[in-house]
Amino acid sequence: MLSSYGDAIAIRMYGEPAGWVYGGAHRHLEAFARWASVPVINLECDRFHPCQALADVMTLREQLGGLTGRRLCISWAYSGSWHKPVAVPQSLLLAAVKSGMDVTLAHPPAFALDPVIMQAATQFANQTGANVRVTHDLLDGVTDAHAVYAKSWCSLAHLPTRHGDAVDERAMLAAFERHRDWCVDEQVLRHAAPDAGYLHCLPADRGQEVTDEVIDGPQSWVFQQATNRLHAQNAVMAHLLNPGCLA
């Protein structure tokens, strides 16, 4: 029925609607895609956010030019709210290494990404000549990076594995509170390469993930990045609904 109402179906689903069971929302989108007779666009699920990753790479290209060999730090950052999926860092990691970027993934041990995604990133990196490195030290991750993308995401270790089970919220909050110092301020950003930029998918938790001086400062690329969501998603629809127009 939904396929008969329009030329495409766009779905955004993660968190509470899927009971916070990791992968549950993504499986719903796969079911829609299997049975729909029109394209299904992932506007963000609990595993991936491809639309955001397209805008991210577009912004990186505009700012840095060719991306091969450029250094990107994808970092976890503290937030007072744990209700954030891993979709953004996972899609960005895959898109960046596919573009040839050398990626340093920085996060406390409790905030590791999906091992399946990490394996895929390594495989893509082998194909493009990129490098993927993991560190548990924020400054180590930021050092000499051409771009710093720091945002918060939840700990997969504390999500339920079955529908009906609850999030281990006490453990989740404890993991967050142990790392309140993971915030990108001007001092942290000074460790990056000269003229490095700060990125975030927005909305950012100011004073927690990032300071006002950084997100509103001259090294912030976030508003250009947000604008590029319009252009990137227009390209997705143009490609899906009229494939020949982008040839």
Side-chain angles (χ1 to χ4, degrees):
M1 286 301 301
L2 289 177
S3 295
S4 71
Y5 292 162
D7 297 310
I9 301 171
I11 302 173
R12 183 180 177 98
M13 179 184 180
Y14 61 84
E16 201 62 40
W20 282 103
V21 176
Y22 178 67
H26 185 70
R27 289 190 289 273
H28 275 77
L29 268 67
E30 288 180 320
F32 266 88
R34 185 165 63 249
W35 295 106
S37 57
V38 296
V40 174
I41 303 172
N42 182 349
L43 295 183
E44 187 178 15
C45 68
D46 48 7
R47 295 189 70 200
F48 302 111
H49 198 345
C51 289
Q52 180 65 53
L54 288 172
D56 295 343
V57 171
M58 180 178 177
T59 307
L60 289 165
R61 287 188 184 278
E62 290 174 341
Q63 289 288 345
L64 300 175
L67 297 183
T68 300
R70 292 289 193 166
R71 296 182 296 275
L72 170 66
C73 173
I74 303 174
S75 178
W76 183 86
Y78 170 76
S79 170
S81 168
W82 63 264
H83 299 79
K84 304 173 190 296
V86 295
V88 168
Q90 292 191 163
S91 281
L92 174 61
L93 172 62
L94 297 176
V97 295
K98 282 186 173 185
S99 301
M101 298 192 79
D102 293 334
V103 178
T104 296
L105 181 63
H107 59 76
F111 295 94
L113 299 183
D114 184 340
V116 175
I117 303 301
M118 295 302 298
Q119 182 179 10
T122 300
Q123 292 173 344
F124 289 136
N126 290 337
Q127 295 169 7
T128 62
N131 291 307
V132 177
R133 186 173 73 92
V134 177
T135 181
H136 301 312
D137 182 282
L138 173 59
L139 292 183
D140 178 40
V142 170
T143 298
D144 295 330
H146 295 113
V148 177
Y149 199 129
K151 74 171 301 294
S152 190
W153 63 79
C154 66
S155 171
L156 295 178
H158 303 309
L159 295 181
T161 57
R162 299 180 304 175
H163 286 278
D165 291 347
V167 175
D168 189 347
E169 193 159 2
R170 179 177 295 182
M172 184 79 78
L173 291 172
F176 271 71
E177 293 304 311
R178 282 194 295 269
H179 303 288
R180 295 179 69 97
D181 58 330
W182 282 62
C183 173
V184 176
D185 57 20
E186 290 180 307
Q187 183 176 355
V188 168
L189 201 56
R190 288 193 191 102
H191 287 78
D195 299 321
Y198 170 79
L199 299 110
H200 192 291
C201 56
L202 299 186
D205 292 328
R206 290 170 176 260
Q208 298 178 350
E209 295 175 293
V210 60
T211 61
D212 289 344
E213 290 75 18
V214 169
I215 199 169
D216 294 326
Q219 290 178 270
S220 176
W221 299 345
V222 299
F223 300 109
Q224 175 186 359
Q225 181 185 2
T227 300
N228 282 341
R229 283 295 300 274
L230 172 66
H231 307 310
Q233 270 64 100
N234 277 341
V236 169
M237 290 187 291
H239 175 70
L240 292 175
L241 303 181
N242 185 15
C245 73
L246 295 181

